[in-house]
Amino acid sequence: MEDLYVEIAQQLSDMGIDKENISWSTRLTLIALILLISYIITKLFRHLVIPAVHKITSRTKATWDDYLFNERMMTSFCRMIPPIMFYLLLPFVFNNIPQVLDILLKGCLIYLVITTLMLVNSFLNSLYEISNEHETLRNRPLKGIYQMINLVAIGIGIILIISILIDQNAATILAGLGASAAVLMLIFKDSILGLVAGVQLSANDMLRPGDWITMPKYGADGDVLEVSLTTVKVRNFDKTITTIPPYALVSDSFQNWRGMRETGGRRIKRSIFIDMTTVHFCSEREKEMFASRGWIDETQTKPGVQVVNLYVFRNYLQNYLKEHPRTHKELMIMVRQMQPTSEGLPLEIYCFSNTTVWPEYEQIQGEIFDHILAVIPEFGLRIFQRPSGNDLTNTVSL
């Protein structure tokens, strides 16, 4: 740096300019010259260096350099050129006016700190875009971590600006802030909790953008849009947006449906209630009819072999679900009796569809139970249903 100053001083001396005794007209001319030099260097960087860097990165096979040296990053570099040039050249203009020079140099340093913070922000945004393109990092909630790093950088920048303004060492200011740590923790409580929660969510792979989660306490039932430092945005199925603090997802319980989507099947678990008065041993005619349809084998049609119509119906449903083209054959398929109740005998259908798309799932489930309700009279069974007003009216009229 000293060599640079000596060289510039020598050039000014050769031009007949004494830096110890500069007139205001010469001073204004030098200021205009500094502005012109800064403008030219910035333009050269923008129109020569940036296109050259873009051309180099476009020829590489990697994609990370395209994000790391994108237009936003290079523009942030351009913003740092003027304060650097001003800081280097202004001492030669105001060498004999130290008060003005001190103010101008402080302004240059503050300007440089601000542009550096803008560069850090652009860098973190580029890192976030790179992580979104990466196969492994794409589904990690990293945005909150990047936001916390950016917040820390802004805090450091503010401390540096204060230290520049009051001519104090930044370390001294940091030591003074230690006494007010409790106040700072109270102010940034949500940010600190959000950072810790974001790390836990990411490390344990508890939540990813795009996951379907259910959290009744906060009225959330939909897909995760974004996991940031202070909020998790969930788009509910009614298209409303619910925001949840990240630390609530760690401290409270929520249901994540990602496993269902990864499995490729969604569970169908629903019961029908059989009128228990219709459960009986099959007559010989019923056994012959069931055998002709392939619902029981020939050994069960022999005289003296007792077969219950509900048993035949359960076996029929089991085979029907196994042969259904839209059930997931690699997951559990089961038809089971539940504890009898005053509403009848529950017969539960337990299987999985071969799709997780909600409309298709509902269509498959509806198709299965439409068939069950339509075929159950063939077995001499009846669905239990509370009598309605119309049933009572017909009974009285009879």
Side-chain angles (χ1 to χ4, degrees):
M1 186 67 70
E2 288 294 330
D3 294 339
L4 178 62
Y5 284 149
V6 171
E7 181 65 26
I8 295 176
Q10 183 64 40
Q11 293 294 329
L12 292 175
S13 178
D14 294 341
M15 295 169 60
I17 300 174
D18 184 6
K19 68 175 184 176
E20 300 296 335
N21 187 19
I22 302 177
S23 64
W24 275 103
S25 60
T26 305
R27 186 173 285 117
L28 292 175
T29 303
L30 290 176
I31 292 174
L33 184 62
I34 291 172
L35 292 173
L36 180 62
I37 292 173
S38 175
Y39 177 79
I40 292 173
I41 293 177
T42 303
K43 284 295 182 181
L44 289 175
F45 188 89
R46 185 181 294 274
H47 296 289
L48 293 179
V49 177
I50 293 179
V53 172
H54 286 168
K55 187 176 293 185
I56 294 172
T57 56
S58 63
R59 292 178 178 177
T60 60
K61 294 182 179 179
T63 58
W64 62 267
D65 53 356
D66 298 327
Y67 290 103
L68 201 57
F69 298 100
N70 57 19
E71 186 68 26
R72 184 173 57 247
M73 280 286 294
M74 303 308 292
T75 302
S76 298
F77 276 117
C78 284
R79 294 193 186 104
M80 298 180 67
I81 295 175
I84 293 174
M85 298 300 301
F86 296 158
Y87 189 81
L88 292 176
L89 299 178
L90 282 177
F92 296 97
V93 181
F94 297 96
N95 184 65
N96 57 347
I97 312 178
Q99 297 84 358
V100 176
L101 179 62
D102 183 61
I103 294 173
L104 292 177
L105 291 181
K106 285 182 178 181
C108 291
L109 289 175
I110 293 173
Y111 186 6
L112 184 60
V113 170
I114 293 173
T115 54
T116 303
L117 291 177
M118 296 172 70
L119 176 63
V120 171
N121 181 59
S122 299
F123 176 72
L124 292 174
N125 288 334
S126 298
L127 282 183
Y128 182 64
E129 292 176 358
I130 293 172
S131 62
N132 282 340
E133 291 293 326
H134 196 276
E135 189 69 26
T136 304
L137 301 177
R138 176 186 304 168
N139 296 319
R140 300 288 183 177
L142 298 175
K143 187 171 184 178
I145 297 175
Y146 292 139
Q147 287 178 330
M148 189 62 189
I149 296 174
N150 194 30
L151 187 61
V152 171
I154 292 173
I156 294 174
I158 292 173
I159 293 173
L160 289 175
I161 290 174
I162 294 173
S163 68
I164 292 170
L165 291 174
I166 65 177
D167 287 327
Q168 291 290 332
N169 194 334
T172 305
I173 298 176
L174 283 173
L177 289 175
S180 57
V183 178
L184 291 175
M185 290 183 65
L186 183 62
I187 295 174
F188 296 103
K189 181 192 71 171
D190 291 339
S191 299
I192 296 171
L193 291 175
L195 175 63
V196 175
V199 172
Q200 290 180 320
L201 290 173
S202 178
N204 298 320
D205 199 15
M206 297 169 61
L207 188 70
R208 301 175 185 173
D211 284 353
W212 170 17
I213 67 169
T214 303
M215 202 170 187
K217 180 178 178 180
Y218 291 88
D221 185 14
D223 297 328
V224 176
L225 292 179
E226 182 181 83
V227 183
S228 64
L229 183 62
T230 55
T231 58
V232 175
K233 292 183 180 179
V234 180
R235 175 178 288 169
N236 300 314
F237 293 121
D238 59 0
K239 302 307 178 183
T240 58
I241 303 295
T242 299
T243 57
I244 307 171
Y247 53 83
L249 295 168
V250 178
S251 59
D252 295 337
S253 175
F254 72 96
Q255 187 175 16
N256 192 329
W257 296 77
R258 186 202 314 157
M260 177 266 293
R261 287 180 173 173
E262 291 177 346
T263 303
R266 185 171 176 181
R267 186 181 67 176
I268 298 174
K269 184 176 181 288
R270 184 182 290 181
S271 298
I272 57 172
F273 289 82
I274 305 295
D275 187 343
M276 288 185 284
T277 62
T278 61
V279 179
H280 60 268
F281 290 111
C282 298
S283 64
E284 295 298 327
R285 186 177 63 82
E286 286 178 324
K287 289 196 292 185
E288 290 177 2
M289 187 267 289
F290 292 159
S292 65
R293 296 187 179 184
W295 296 346
I296 60 175
D297 54 37
E298 294 296 332
T299 59
Q300 294 174 308
T301 61
K302 295 178 180 180
V305 177
Q306 293 181 333
V307 180
V308 179
N309 61 343
L310 183 58
Y311 165 81
V312 179
F313 181 57
R314 287 204 321 273
N315 287 344
Y316 169 81
L317 287 184
Q318 187 79 23
N319 294 327
Y320 169 75
L321 295 174
K322 288 181 179 179
E323 296 174 3
H324 195 285
R326 299 305 304 275
T327 56
H328 203 302
K329 306 304 185 294
E330 296 180 2
L331 300 177
M332 182 177 290
I333 296 177
M334 180 175 61
V335 180
R336 61 172 181 164
Q337 285 187 31
M338 307 294 287
Q339 178 72 25
T341 69
S342 59
E343 304 293 328
L345 178 63
L347 196 65
E348 185 180 79
I349 310 301
Y350 192 101
C351 63
F352 292 81
S353 64
N354 62 357
T355 180
T356 60
V357 180
W358 193 1
E360 295 182 16
Y361 162 78
E362 294 293 348
Q363 184 178 1
I364 296 168
Q365 185 171 235
E367 179 183 328
I368 290 173
F369 281 89
D370 287 347
H371 180 82
I372 292 173
L373 295 175
V375 80
I376 198 168
E378 300 291 330
F379 296 87
L381 296 168
R382 185 170 62 245
I383 298 293
F384 179 87
Q385 179 176 293
R386 287 182 178 272
S388 64
N390 187 50
D391 297 325
L392 297 176
T393 301
N394 292 336
T395 303
V396 172
S397 63
L398 291 174

